[in-house]
Amino acid sequence: MGRNKAVCCGLSALETTLAVLFVLMTAVSVTLIVLLVTRESDTAGETDPPAPTSDPQHSPYLIGVGRADCTGPPAEIPLMGYAQSSQLAAGIHTRLYSRAFIVDDGRKRVVFVTADVGMISQRLRLEVLRALRVKYGDLYRQDNVALSGTHTHCGLGGFFQYTLFMLSSKGYIPESVQPLVDGIVKSIDIAHRNMRPGRIYRKRGDLGGSSLNRSPHSYMNNPEEERHRYETNTDNQVVVLKFTDLDGDGIGMLSWFAVHAVSMNYTNRMVSSDNMGHASYLMEQDKNPGELPGQGGFVAGFSSSNLGDVTPNIKGPFCINTMKPCDYLNSSCPVGGTKMCQAFGPGNDMFESTRIIGHNIYMKAKELYAEADEEVTGSIQSAHQWVNMTDVKIQLNDTHVVSTCKPALGHSFAAGTTDGGGDLNFTQGATDGDPFWNGIRDALVGPPSNETQDCHHPKPILFSTGEINWPLPWHPQIIDVQIITVGSVAIVAVPGEFTTMSGRRLRAAVKQELESDGVNRDWEVVLAGLSNVYTHYITTFEEYQVQRYEGASTIFGPHTLSAYLQKYAGLARAIAQDEVSKLPPGPEPPFFEKNLFNLLSAATLDRKPDNTSFGDVLQQVYPVYRPGDVVSVTFVAGNPRHSGDIRDKTFVTVEIFDNRTETWEIVHTDASWETRFHWLKGSNRQSNATVEWHIPATAQAGSYRIQHFGHCKQLKGLQTVITPYSGSSDTFTVTPSFYHL
Ligand code: ZN
């Protein structure tokens, strides 16, 4: 694998240049653009919800929890996050799930979804809301449904309608969008059908040793007096909601912790839910004993929060060529620049790091879940507005009014972060711009207007995305602000990545407004990150001045946070004064029907080596293994994209032979942490599937086999035919370690 690194959540520098070149090329050759027709939504009806109870103040809530697979075809589609054009999906590390929580107080109902996805895009949200409307009418709406992404960087891309994001993920890809929409809606369906009387308890605690601030220089630019109010430069708090039925039996858990889901790095090609997904996996395996991953009634959601400047790579950054510290301000190295400055840890490789961080978060949440005894009571509210973020006026004092700006990205955006740096000579902390790149930009997409340049000062603008509208706007302008409250818990759904201090300011502003009603309530305010629409980062005004990656990616300018403080305070005030219905809805965001483009070519026909069949074993297992060993077997395979909707299925089983019943029992699937399904596309359209089983210490001794399931597409006469196939390894034995000396 080459040394070309990637940018978190955007475009690498090389890719931006290529992207712009591409746009110009497509302008000449418009036939490349595939216009897409909007899908018809599923019209299947749903059963009515149970009748709500009548006394909200003293009755339990109605609670529903649901989990659904939202994994898309793990092949050839770009993974969303590092914007690395060569990081195309090629298998499954762990499956991706959407987890939904519905609470009803008898009068009002709210839905919170946390999904294993890079972020919720505006397009994804609008498609989910349309599907919900078809099924449920007015029950689930933009104001009472909040959707949040865990920010895994190893989910599929292709679910955006704005040009910049489409360029970074081969366009708008229906193959990728459909399983996300269907998975999210299905998780809500399951929660809806499960609704029953229950109680909610809350608990907050601290988790150290699992996160690190990756832009401390920016953080230090915040006022000293403000910084001194906090012990750490990341938020270590974990907030847990425990859901039980009326017997006190746990039915679900929802938690928030601020850390980037980037333990898996840009070299990984397998779909993976990363550290946050692993925490869910561990908690659900614990609470659903005997169930395979993704099965069982207990649902554990680990939601993202104000993770903008927070990395899980806690060994911190250093120059990988000299092993010396990187430059503090610019995160670059004397030789090799930003791409040599990388952060790692705490494990020896990305799998171990993912496991350790996921396990830490899980253990803390489990502890808080066990201790949670503060019951959440009181009414439910939801407040939502659409806001045109390009022109929000903020009254700073009696005489000084400032404004947000049309979206634009700064030069440091292309430098990336220490979780994955840029390709070219961009560095973080740039406030001067670079004449060379300015020249290229001006030639390709045109310079930013003076107005936009002034508005974003001191950001040197790389792309004035708010001023480029071809073939569709490059960035969203209308965004969602939303707060849902359950008793004394407020979930603030934010449209991007708030930095640590931005999040603290927003929580404080919301809390202050909520408590302004004079009723003495101890509000717990949490931020749900990457919610509803993606707008990159939100730094404080002071952090913005430093123009590291996060500041350069604060797309609505230096006063972005101030505008959000004003807007969310308005929602909180409406909730406190019980005047949510008086909030104007704001301008509805667009749902583009035309000019979406899809650059992912159709999956080609599958070929196989002579004298073999699909599913045949090319590389066989050994006869005997011990716990700790890795079993590996390679099959003749088809392209996983030919398997269509792969939700709730598996490409892999690890099976043990039960001597008593004389049957094979499945012990692992491709959703299991212990299995890795690698799809390897070879030449001549031939491809292989290599399945690894990392045998855990807990594995039972016995006879095992590994099976692979797939589909192949072949020409039969003049027709293409897709056929299912399967293959099995030889039987092998796992013996307890102590048999071997
Ligand atoms: Zn990010």
Side-chain angles (χ1 to χ4, degrees), residues 194-386:
N194 277 341
M195 290 186 77
R196 73 201 97 161
R199 300 195 184 277
I200 305 173
Y201 303 87
R202 70 180 220 204
K203 183 82 180 176
R204 174 166 16 118
D206 281 321
L207 172 62
S210 300
S211 59
L212 192 75
N213 192 303
R214 70 182 187 190
S215 284
H217 184 85
S218 307
Y219 182 88
M220 288 300 287
N221 217 36
N222 289 312
E224 190 176 3
E225 167 277 319
E226 182 183 36
R227 283 186 282 112
H228 282 174
R229 274 185 258 149
Y230 304 97
E231 284 178 14
T232 52
N233 61 5
T234 61
D235 265 346
N236 288 351
Q237 71 170 41
V238 179
V239 174
V240 160
L241 297 183
K242 173 181 185 171
F243 300 88
T244 74
D245 62 20
L246 291 185
D247 296 329
D249 292 329
I251 55 177
M253 188 222 65
L254 188 49
S255 75
W256 290 267
F257 179 61
V259 72
H260 256 80
V262 294
S263 290
M264 297 294 286
N265 65 37
Y266 60 88
T267 65
N268 170 53
R269 299 275 300 273
M270 289 180 290
V271 165
S272 174
S273 60
D274 211 290
N275 48 35
M276 297 297 273
H278 190 51
S280 284
Y281 175 95
L282 291 170
M283 186 88 175
E284 290 179 354
Q285 289 291 93
D286 183 35
K287 299 290 182 187
N288 296 309
E291 298 279 3
L292 288 168
Q295 309 287 322
F298 190 95
V299 178
F302 285 77
S303 168
S304 62
S305 194
N306 50 326
L307 50 62
D309 49 0
V310 188
T311 176
N313 298 314
I314 57 174
K315 282 185 185 167
F318 55 89
C319 297
I320 55 172
N321 46 358
T322 61
M323 307 305 278
K324 293 198 169 136
C326 311
D327 176 84
Y328 179 65
L329 169 61
N330 298 317
S331 294
S332 69
C333 298
V335 178
T338 49
K339 60 187 174 187
M340 285 296 139
C341 176
Q342 289 180 35
F344 294 96
N348 290 319
D349 61 31
M350 61 181 164
F351 297 98
E352 195 184 358
S353 294
T354 302
R355 186 182 58 73
I356 294 170
I357 297 292
H359 190 260
N360 290 352
I361 301 168
Y362 150 67
M363 286 300 284
K364 176 51 72 174
K366 184 182 175 182
E367 174 195 320
L368 296 170
Y369 177 88
E371 293 170 355
D373 56 0
E374 191 178 340
E375 186 167 0
V376 177
T377 58
S379 62
I380 284 173
Q381 295 271 18
S382 61
H384 172 275
Q385 281 182 310
W386 284 304

Side-chain angles (χ1 to χ4, degrees), residues 8-9 119 151 153 214 260 262 307-308 497 530 534 537 549:
C8 164
C9 324
M119 59 285 289
H151 206 32
H153 281 40
R214 70 182 187 190
H260 256 80
V262 294
L307 50 62
E497 311 182 44
L530 291 306
Y534 186 59
Y537 285 72
Y549 176 78

Side-chain angles (χ1 to χ4, degrees), residues 31-105:
T31 49
L32 276 178
I33 303 292
V34 179
L35 300 182
L36 298 167
V37 181
T38 318
R39 290 172 306 98
E40 287 298 316
S41 298
D42 181 0
T43 54
E46 284 299 319
T47 52
D48 288 336
T53 51
S54 57
D55 186 354
Q57 292 307 317
H58 305 290
S59 299
Y61 296 113
L62 281 176
I63 300 168
V65 299
R67 176 201 328 98
D69 190 346
C70 61
T71 315
E76 299 178 330
I77 297 172
L79 299 182
M80 185 67 206
Y82 294 110
Q84 176 80 9
S85 53
S86 62
Q87 198 191 13
L88 305 177
I92 294 180
H93 173 228
T94 53
R95 276 192 179 242
L96 310 177
Y97 295 96
S98 171
R99 296 174 170 92
F101 299 81
I102 306 180
V103 186
D104 189 312
D105 68 358

